Amino acid sequence: MLSEKMQKALNKQVQAEMYSANLYLAMSSYCDFKGLKGFANWLRVQYQEETAHALLLLDYVKERGGKAEVLQIDAPAVEFGTMTEVFKTVLKHEQHVTGLINGLYEVAIQEKDFAAQIFLQWFVNEQVEEEANATDILSKLEVIGDSGVNVLYLDKELSTRVFVPPSISNAN
């Protein structure tokens, strides 16, 4: 059984993951409007990942006998600037989420919730990957700039990303 504190922290993380999903969906729509379908695709896949993360957390709360709650989600921005600015925002946001996951892990330690610590290890590892991916794209944009044919090549590269849903069985 989850402690009240652990349950509340997990539900707050669901809220954060759903905000992340909405942010990436808004960014995807923005890129699509700008004619950059590959950037839009990459961000839409990111939206799908964040939604899947929220579902993993909700399912975990229920699996542990807790009450899963879906809390209010603030609307994200709708304008994001250049693609470099978009991915600076992505990286900054992923760094924020890393802090949230680390805080959630700290709650699991404080509550001596060993099962939650094991479960959350997947999210800790996922954040390393999320920051690395954002950093990689941002580094490329900083080299090639925000205009010209090189952006189109990167756009084409980003169009190949596909969503692979995680499951609770491989998250543990």
Side-chain angles (χ1 to χ4, degrees), residues 22-93:
N22 287 350
L23 175 65
Y24 293 134
L25 186 59
M27 288 176 164
S28 176
S29 295
Y30 176 80
C31 292
D32 192 45
F33 178 76
K34 295 289 187 181
L36 295 167
K37 307 291 187 200
F39 284 93
N41 174 69
W42 193 94
L43 289 158
R44 182 174 286 257
V45 170
Q46 198 65 19
Y47 154 80
Q48 292 171 309
E49 280 193 6
E50 302 304 337
T51 301
H53 296 166
L55 292 173
L56 285 173
L57 291 159
L58 277 173
D59 289 345
Y60 181 75
V61 169
K62 292 187 299 183
E63 187 176 286
R64 294 286 308 279
K67 181 181 179 190
E69 297 177 354
V70 179
L71 305 172
Q72 182 174 337
I73 302 154
D74 294 332
V78 295
E79 294 290 328
F80 299 99
T82 66
M83 290 305 103
T84 298
E85 291 169 330
V86 167
F87 277 86
K88 282 182 179 179
T89 301
V90 169
L91 179 58
K92 183 178 178 185
H93 183 73

Side-chain angles (χ1 to χ4, degrees), residues 128-139:
V128 171
E129 180 183 321
E130 298 282 20
E131 286 189 33
N133 289 338
T135 298
D136 180 57
I137 295 168
L138 182 56
S139 295

Side-chain angles (χ1 to χ4, degrees), residues 122-134:
W122 183 89
F123 287 89
V124 171
N125 294 337
E126 177 70 5
Q127 282 311 119
V128 171
E129 180 183 321
E130 298 282 20
E131 286 189 33
N133 289 338

